[in-house]
Amino acid sequence: MTPGAARGWAVRAVDVAAAGLLVVSGYVHLDLYRHGYRSIHDVGVAFAVQAAGSFAVAALLLVSLAVAGSPVLRLGAAALAAGALVGFVLSRTVGVFGFEERGLQPSPQALVSVLAEGALLVLLAGLALAWVRQSGGRRSR
Protein backbone atom coordinates (compact mmCIF):
# COMPACT_ATOMS: atom_id res chain seq x y z
CA MET A 1 0.00 0.00 0.00
CA THR A 2 1.39 3.40 -0.95
CA PRO A 3 1.71 6.20 1.62
CA GLY A 4 -1.06 8.13 -0.15
CA ALA A 5 -3.41 5.15 -0.01
CA ALA A 6 -2.60 4.60 3.66
CA ARG A 7 -3.42 8.25 4.40
CA GLY A 8 -6.68 7.90 2.50
CA TRP A 9 -7.68 4.91 4.60
CA ALA A 10 -6.66 6.71 7.78
CA VAL A 11 -8.84 9.71 6.89
CA ARG A 12 -11.75 7.39 6.13
CA ALA A 13 -11.24 5.63 9.47
CA VAL A 14 -11.33 9.00 11.24
CA ASP A 15 -14.57 9.87 9.43
CA VAL A 16 -16.16 6.56 10.45
CA ALA A 17 -15.04 7.01 14.06
CA ALA A 18 -16.27 10.62 14.04
CA ALA A 19 -19.65 9.48 12.73
CA GLY A 20 -19.85 6.85 15.47
CA LEU A 21 -19.04 9.38 18.18
CA LEU A 22 -21.63 11.78 16.78
CA VAL A 23 -24.24 9.03 16.88
CA VAL A 24 -23.41 8.36 20.54
CA SER A 25 -23.70 12.06 21.39
CA GLY A 26 -26.89 12.41 19.36
CA TYR A 27 -28.44 9.35 21.01
CA VAL A 28 -27.68 10.67 24.50
CA HIS A 29 -29.24 14.03 23.68
CA LEU A 30 -32.29 12.37 22.11
CA ASP A 31 -32.68 10.03 25.09
CA LEU A 32 -32.55 12.93 27.54
CA TYR A 33 -34.97 14.91 25.40
CA ARG A 34 -37.44 12.00 25.34
CA HIS A 35 -37.14 11.38 29.08
CA GLY A 36 -37.87 14.81 30.45
CA TYR A 37 -35.76 17.52 28.88
CA ARG A 38 -38.41 18.26 26.25
CA SER A 39 -40.47 19.89 28.99
CA ILE A 40 -37.69 22.35 29.87
CA HIS A 41 -38.35 25.58 27.98
CA ASP A 42 -35.63 26.32 25.33
CA VAL A 43 -33.30 23.62 26.68
CA GLY A 44 -35.52 20.86 25.31
CA VAL A 45 -35.42 22.39 21.84
CA ALA A 46 -31.62 22.68 22.06
CA PHE A 47 -31.36 18.97 22.93
CA ALA A 48 -33.59 18.02 19.98
CA VAL A 49 -31.56 20.19 17.60
CA GLN A 50 -28.28 18.76 18.95
CA ALA A 51 -29.55 15.21 18.40
CA ALA A 52 -30.86 15.91 14.89
CA GLY A 53 -27.68 17.74 13.89
CA SER A 54 -25.49 14.95 15.23
CA PHE A 55 -27.40 12.27 13.34
CA ALA A 56 -27.45 14.32 10.13
CA VAL A 57 -23.72 15.11 10.14
CA ALA A 58 -22.89 11.50 11.05
CA ALA A 59 -24.90 10.26 8.08
CA LEU A 60 -23.31 12.80 5.76
CA LEU A 61 -19.82 11.84 6.95
CA LEU A 62 -20.54 8.22 6.08
CA VAL A 63 -22.04 9.11 2.68
CA SER A 64 -19.04 11.30 1.89
CA LEU A 65 -16.61 8.39 2.38
CA ALA A 66 -16.92 7.60 -1.33
CA VAL A 67 -15.27 10.92 -2.15
CA ALA A 68 -12.63 10.92 0.63
CA GLY A 69 -14.73 12.86 3.11
CA SER A 70 -15.34 16.54 3.54
CA PRO A 71 -13.43 19.05 5.63
CA VAL A 72 -16.64 21.07 5.97
CA LEU A 73 -18.45 18.09 7.49
CA ARG A 74 -15.56 17.49 9.88
CA LEU A 75 -15.74 21.14 10.89
CA GLY A 76 -19.49 20.75 11.43
CA ALA A 77 -18.88 17.67 13.59
CA ALA A 78 -16.33 19.59 15.66
CA ALA A 79 -18.75 22.52 16.03
CA LEU A 80 -21.52 20.22 17.26
CA ALA A 81 -19.22 18.57 19.80
CA ALA A 82 -17.74 21.87 20.98
CA GLY A 83 -21.19 23.43 21.25
CA ALA A 84 -22.47 20.54 23.34
CA LEU A 85 -19.45 20.77 25.64
CA VAL A 86 -19.88 24.53 26.03
CA GLY A 87 -23.55 23.99 26.87
CA PHE A 88 -22.56 21.33 29.40
CA VAL A 89 -20.08 23.66 31.12
CA LEU A 90 -22.50 26.59 31.08
CA SER A 91 -25.33 24.48 32.53
CA ARG A 92 -23.07 23.67 35.48
CA THR A 93 -21.70 27.16 36.04
CA VAL A 94 -23.87 30.13 35.07
CA GLY A 95 -26.87 28.22 33.71
CA VAL A 96 -28.44 28.03 30.27
CA PHE A 97 -31.76 29.85 29.84
CA GLY A 98 -32.17 29.65 33.62
CA PHE A 99 -31.51 25.90 33.67
CA GLU A 100 -28.73 24.56 35.90
CA GLU A 101 -27.40 21.11 36.71
CA ARG A 102 -24.68 19.82 38.99
CA GLY A 103 -21.77 17.48 38.44
CA LEU A 104 -22.21 14.55 36.09
CA GLN A 105 -25.96 14.39 36.44
CA PRO A 106 -27.92 12.89 34.80
CA SER A 107 -25.86 9.77 35.19
CA PRO A 108 -24.50 8.06 33.11
CA GLN A 109 -25.66 10.14 30.12
CA ALA A 110 -23.66 13.25 31.04
CA LEU A 111 -20.39 11.32 31.28
CA VAL A 112 -21.04 9.35 28.08
CA SER A 113 -21.82 12.54 26.18
CA VAL A 114 -18.77 14.43 27.49
CA LEU A 115 -16.47 11.51 26.68
CA ALA A 116 -17.87 11.09 23.15
CA GLU A 117 -17.68 14.81 22.37
CA GLY A 118 -14.20 15.16 23.87
CA ALA A 119 -12.95 12.13 21.94
CA LEU A 120 -14.43 13.53 18.74
CA LEU A 121 -12.61 16.83 19.19
CA VAL A 122 -9.31 15.07 19.96
CA LEU A 123 -9.72 12.82 16.91
CA LEU A 124 -10.46 15.69 14.55
CA ALA A 125 -7.70 17.85 16.04
CA GLY A 126 -5.27 14.99 15.43
CA LEU A 127 -6.37 14.76 11.80
CA ALA A 128 -5.99 18.51 11.37
CA LEU A 129 -2.53 18.44 12.95
CA ALA A 130 -1.48 15.59 10.65
CA TRP A 131 -2.70 17.59 7.64
CA VAL A 132 -0.76 20.67 8.74
CA ARG A 133 2.41 18.61 9.24
CA GLN A 134 1.99 16.88 5.88
CA SER A 135 1.46 20.13 4.02
CA GLY A 136 4.20 21.88 5.94
CA GLY A 137 1.74 24.66 6.77
CA ARG A 138 1.66 25.69 3.08
CA ARG A 139 -1.50 26.39 1.19
CA SER A 140 -1.90 24.54 -2.09
CA ARG A 141 -2.48 26.65 -5.16
Side-chain angles (χ1 to χ4, degrees):
M1 182 179 294
T2 66
R7 279 191 296 275
W9 281 104
V11 170
R12 285 181 174 88
V14 166
D15 285 346
V16 169
L21 290 166
L22 278 172
V23 167
V24 169
S25 175
Y27 176 79
V28 169
H29 283 87
L30 179 61
D31 183 57
L32 290 171
Y33 173 82
R34 290 178 45 227
H35 292 101
Y37 280 49
R38 69 175 151 209
S39 64
I40 303 169
H41 187 60
D42 294 328
V43 172
V45 173
F47 270 67
V49 168
Q50 179 71 26
S54 294
F55 293 140
V57 173
L60 290 170
L61 276 169
L62 293 176
V63 168
S64 75
L65 288 175
V67 291
S70 167
V72 172
L73 290 174
R74 290 183 204 110
L75 185 59
L80 282 164
L85 288 172
V86 167
F88 180 85
V89 169
L90 290 176
S91 72
R92 278 140 182 88
T93 54
V94 298
V96 176
F97 303 117
F99 177 73
E100 293 182 30
E101 290 186 302
R102 296 186 190 264
L104 288 175
Q105 295 301 320
S107 181
Q109 295 95 329
L111 180 60
V112 170
S113 181
V114 166
L115 290 175
E117 292 145 4
L120 177 59
L121 289 175
V122 168
L123 184 70
L124 293 176
L127 182 63
L129 182 59
W131 178 81
V132 167
R133 284 185 177 170
Q134 175 189 349
S135 68
R138 297 181 312 269
R139 295 169 86 176
S140 60
R141 293 179 189 196

